[in-house]
């Protein structure tokens, strides 16, 4: 995670945030789905991968706020129709953050810093 700069992280998630601000939530979803699809195809994550994401915003003139979320999903002997995927969790957590006024969160898998959503 340390090789990813704050600026590149903000730039990656800022594109989606701009789409969400300029259009409705429904019009932003296709762009998010395309980004998620590209990230999911690029990297296959181990089933026990930890995912980490953070987002920033400025509140007031000189106050910078940050939210950081980490998670791991483990499905044990679960039928595929009932499995909960890391991508589903990442999208839900990002939507939750956006509903509270934060920019969307892009989650990265570790140890290799590859985007999940």
């Amino acid at each position: 995670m340390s090789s990813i700069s704050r600026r590149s992280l903000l730039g990656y998630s800022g594109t989606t945030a701009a789409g969400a601000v300029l259009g409705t939530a429904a019009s932003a979803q296709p762009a998010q789905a395309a980004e998620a699809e590209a990230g999911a195809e690029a990297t296959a994550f181990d089933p026990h991968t930890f995912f980490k994401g953070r987002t920033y915003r400025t509140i007031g003139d000189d106050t910078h706020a940050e939210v950081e979320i980490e998670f791991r999903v483990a499905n044990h002997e679960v039928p595929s129709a009932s499995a909960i995927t890391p991508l589903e969790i990442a999208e839900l957590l990002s939507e939750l953050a956006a509903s509270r006024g934060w920019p969307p969160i892009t989650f990265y898998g570790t140890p290799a810093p590859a985007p999940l959503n």
Side-chain angles (χ1 to χ4, degrees), residues 17 30 41 52 66 72 79 87:
E41 290 177 15
K52 184 178 194 176
E66 172 184 343
R72 178 179 77 171
L87 181 57

Side-chain angles (χ1 to χ4, degrees), residues 96-117:
L96 174 63
S99 75
R100 302 286 171 88
W102 293 93
I105 302 173
T106 299
F107 289 89
Y108 291 86
T110 57
L116 171 64
N117 62 333

Side-chain angles (χ1 to χ4, degrees), residues 19-114:
V21 170
L22 294 175
T24 65
S27 66
Q29 288 175 351
Q32 290 172 339
E35 288 176 2
E37 193 173 346
E41 290 177 15
T43 305
F45 293 102
D46 180 68
H48 297 287
T49 300
F50 278 96
F51 296 95
K52 184 178 194 176
R54 70 172 58 135
T55 187
Y56 307 88
R57 75 178 191 191
T58 303
I59 51 175
D61 293 334
D62 294 330
T63 306
H64 302 284
E66 172 184 343
V67 169
E68 180 177 80
I69 301 173
E70 298 179 56
F71 70 91
R72 178 179 77 171
V73 177
N75 291 290
H76 300 285
E77 300 183 31
V78 176
S80 61
S82 300
I84 297 172
T85 67
L87 181 57
E88 291 171 318
I89 299 298
E91 290 173 348
L92 288 170
L93 291 171
S94 183
E95 288 175 18
L96 174 63
S99 75
R100 302 286 171 88
W102 293 93
I105 302 173
T106 299
F107 289 89
Y108 291 86
T110 57

